[in-house]
């Protein structure tokens, strides 16, 4: 399900609005994922406090959104843009790629909460396609 | 049998008391039909689903959104045995409507997003967890009679 020009434009437009709050939203999305999908906590057990208020969760959420921001900028070549991150996830972190979808759902949810007027069904569609393509690029080096 | 904590019971009842049934069901269904267009396969009789605007303004979609909410209310009123409450609904979806059960999760996700948008900050991570657990039980119960 590759990105049309319309999808890319929608993602860039929403990101331009969201960028200022990206770090905060990332922390929210990650925190919500850890609560609603407790199996994802297995990747972060070394952090101790995995509550949404935890400093480590908030910080890592910001890191994730920073990477997504790079992906938005490199939207025409996600595989290239995310190559190094793909290697990291494949060989070092070894996150089961099914979890990318779970985090994606929580990112979409947080976007809907922060930008209820802008996050129309059509924008939702484009953002989901984008996140799906990001997940695919992140999975590239796995096998 | 599913165990609900006091917090979960209260949170789920609270969500349903706050959301607008007329809006939420229809918004979730139309969002699902737009974001996951293959789900339109089950609504051939609904007329114009040609684009997002048509779907959002389609009266059959709106009406069906209310049907879905009525179904969810049955689960809400029988939280301690959703499986039995949904036996006939499960048979309906499996044998008559022949819905691929993976689609239940798609509609569930759209419902969660619409509810989050409506409730805002009140939809805390813990409340989200309770709501998603409720939907997971609903989905599992709807899947139960498939064979």
């Amino acid at each position: 399900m590759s990105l049309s020009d319309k999808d890319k434009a929608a993602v860039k437009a929403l990101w331009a609005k969201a960028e200022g709050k990206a770090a905060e939203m990332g922390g929210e999305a990650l925190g919500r994922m850890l609560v609603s999908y407790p199996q994802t906590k297995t990747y972060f057990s070394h952090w101790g406090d995995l509550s949404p208020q935890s400093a480590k969760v908030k910080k890592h959420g910001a890191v994730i959104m920073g990477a997504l921001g790079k992906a938005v900028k490199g939207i025409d070549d996600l595989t290239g843009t995310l190559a190094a991150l793909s290697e990291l996830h494949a060989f070092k972190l070894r996150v089961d790629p099914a979890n990318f979808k779970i985090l994606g759902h929580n990112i979409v949810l947080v976007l809907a909460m922060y930008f209820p007027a802008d996050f129309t069904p059509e924008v939702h569609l484009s953002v989901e396609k984008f996140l799906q393509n990001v997940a695919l690029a992140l999975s590239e080096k796995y096998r | 049998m599913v165990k609900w904590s006091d917090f979960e019971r209260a949170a789920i009842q609270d969500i349903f008391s706050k959301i607008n049934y007329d809006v939420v069901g229809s918004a979730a269904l139309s969002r699902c039909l737009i974001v996951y267009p293959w789900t339109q396969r089950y609504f051939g009789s609904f007329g114009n689903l040609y684009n997002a605007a048509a779907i959002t303004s389609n009266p059959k979609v709106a009406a069906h959104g209310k049907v879905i909410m009525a179904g969810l209310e049955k689960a809400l009123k029988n939280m301690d045995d959703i499986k039995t409450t949904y036996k006939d609904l499960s048979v309906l979806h499996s044998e008559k409507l022949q819905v691929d059960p993976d689609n239940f999760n798609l509609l569930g996700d759209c419902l969660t997003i619409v509810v989050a948008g409506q409730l805002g900050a009140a939809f805390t991570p813990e409340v989200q967890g309770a709501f998603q657990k409720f939907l997971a039980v609903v989905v599992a119960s709807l899947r139960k009679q498939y064979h």
Side-chain angles (χ1 to χ4, degrees):
Chain A
M1 301 184 224
S2 54
L3 298 172
S4 67
D5 289 337
K6 188 179 167 196
D7 292 321
K8 292 179 188 179
V11 168
K12 285 183 169 169
L14 185 68
W15 192 261
K17 276 197 169 166
E19 201 160 16
K21 296 204 160 162
E24 184 188 318
M25 290 196 296
E28 272 261 11
L30 187 59
R32 282 168 185 278
M33 183 186 80
L34 295 167
V35 170
S36 286
Y37 302 88
Q39 70 272 20
T40 60
K41 290 196 283 190
T42 55
Y43 292 101
F44 304 100
S45 48
H46 54 289
W47 282 359
D49 178 9
L50 289 173
S51 69
Q53 299 76 32
S54 135
K56 282 186 176 164
V57 170
K58 287 184 182 178
K59 188 174 165 208
H60 198 66
V63 165
I64 292 170
M65 290 305 258
L68 269 181
K70 279 196 190 138
V72 173
K73 289 198 169 74
I75 204 169
D76 291 316
D77 177 19
L78 285 173
T79 312
T81 307
L82 295 170
L85 273 174
S86 181
E87 284 199 13
L88 176 75
H89 283 75
F91 302 122
K92 193 167 170 230
L93 304 175
R94 286 186 278 206
V95 176
D96 186 325
N99 293 290
F100 299 149
K101 197 174 170 195
I102 294 173
L103 180 58
H105 165 68
N106 284 280
I107 289 171
V108 159
L109 187 135
V110 170
L111 281 168
M113 287 177 72
Y114 275 63
F115 300 98
D118 299 284
F119 204 67
T120 62
E122 282 167 297
V123 170
H124 178 168
L125 167 59
S126 296
V127 170
E128 265 220 23
K129 282 176 74 177
F130 167 68
L131 290 174
Q132 197 183 60
N133 279 273
V134 165
L136 203 59
L138 271 179
S139 317
E140 185 67 28
K141 307 274 182 188
Y142 270 66
R143 54 178 177 173
Chain B
M1 209 187 85
V2 181
K3 278 204 181 123
W4 302 101
S5 71
D6 291 340
F7 171 81
E8 284 166 345
R9 264 183 220 278
I12 292 159
Q13 297 286 339
D14 193 50
I15 289 168
F16 277 87
S17 74
K18 285 191 171 124
I19 57 177
N20 182 342
Y21 277 37
D22 288 342
V23 169
V24 166
S26 156
L29 181 58
S30 49
R31 196 167 278 258
C32 186
L33 294 168
I34 292 165
V35 178
Y36 309 106
W38 54 92
T39 57
Q40 291 169 24
R41 77 188 301 278
Y42 302 110
F43 300 96
S45 64
F46 275 30
N48 187 359
L49 297 178
Y50 189 58
N51 55 36
I55 291 170
T56 316
S57 58
N58 184 313
K60 286 187 172 178
V61 171
H64 200 68
K66 291 184 190 169
V67 168
I68 292 169
M69 290 311 286
L72 283 173
E73 216 187 10
K74 270 196 197 148
L76 181 73
K77 293 192 162 127
N78 295 282
M79 272 176 70
D80 288 312
D81 197 2
I82 297 174
K83 194 169 72 183
T84 310
T85 308
Y86 268 25
K87 193 161 174 234
D88 291 344
L89 267 175
S90 180
V91 170
L92 174 78
H93 283 76
S94 136
E95 301 200 354
K96 192 175 169 225
L97 305 174
Q98 291 178 327
V99 177
D100 177 347
D102 286 347
N103 290 293
F104 302 148
N105 292 312
L106 300 180
L107 181 58
D109 282 349
C110 286
L111 195 56
T112 308
I113 283 156
V114 167
V115 167
Q118 268 215 359
L119 297 182
F123 199 65
T124 64
E126 292 75 19
V127 168
Q128 176 186 345
F131 189 63
Q132 296 211 204
K133 179 175 166 180
F134 174 74
L135 288 179
V137 174
V138 161
V139 168
S141 304
L142 272 176
R143 289 184 95 117
K144 197 81 189 143
Q145 301 302 323
Y146 276 70
H147 60 93

